[in-house]
């Protein structure tokens, strides 16, 4: 999706790992949401949005606030042992 409204498409990746690995990955600060933004040289530069919380089971990109830039809607795995928000929304910067 186009997260910054410049017409170039960025790639977003998220991690969802077995629950028994979560404490170890949180301690290590494992990258859990990353954005790859195209550069003028035709390559991609990685930007880390989140570390340690590798519970992201789904990612959707939509312009939900109508500013012309895609926003991230992240579906998170939650249960009684790992309570938290089922959805996290990351709005693109103005």
């Amino acid at each position: 999706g186009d997260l910054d409204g410049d017409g170039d498409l960025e790639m977003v990746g998220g991690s969802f790992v077995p629950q028994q690995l979560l404490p170890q990955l949180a301690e290590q600060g494992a990258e859990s949401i990353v954005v790859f933004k195209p550069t003028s040289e035709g390559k991609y530069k990685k930007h880390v949005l989140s570390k340690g919380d590798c519970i992201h089971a789904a990612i959707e990109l939509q312009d939900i606030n109508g500013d012309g830039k895609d926003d991230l809607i992240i579906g998170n795995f939650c249960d009684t042992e790992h309570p938290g928000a089922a959805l996290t929304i990351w709005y693109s910067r103005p």
Side-chain angles (χ1 to χ4, degrees), residues 23 31 53:
E31 297 171 354
D53 57 340

Side-chain angles (χ1 to χ4, degrees), residues 62-79:
Q62 292 289 325
D63 180 11
I64 59 176
N65 61 356
D67 67 356
K69 298 180 271 188
D70 287 329
D71 304 299
L72 301 177
I73 305 163
I74 310 290
N76 301 311
F77 175 81
C78 300
D79 63 11

Side-chain angles (χ1 to χ4, degrees), residues 29-89:
E31 297 171 354
S32 57
I33 300 176
V34 295
V35 173
F36 294 92
K37 183 170 175 42
T39 67
S40 59
E41 297 85 32
K43 298 183 181 190
Y44 285 84
K45 181 177 180 185
K46 179 173 67 172
H47 301 271
V48 179
L49 298 184
S50 183
K51 291 183 178 183
D53 57 340
C54 303
I55 59 168
H56 312 298
I59 298 175
E60 175 69 26
L61 280 73
Q62 292 289 325
D63 180 11
I64 59 176
N65 61 356
D67 67 356
K69 298 180 271 188
D70 287 329
D71 304 299
L72 301 177
I73 305 163
I74 310 290
N76 301 311
F77 175 81
C78 300
D79 63 11
T80 55
E81 291 183 39
H82 305 93
L87 287 176
T88 304
I89 298 174

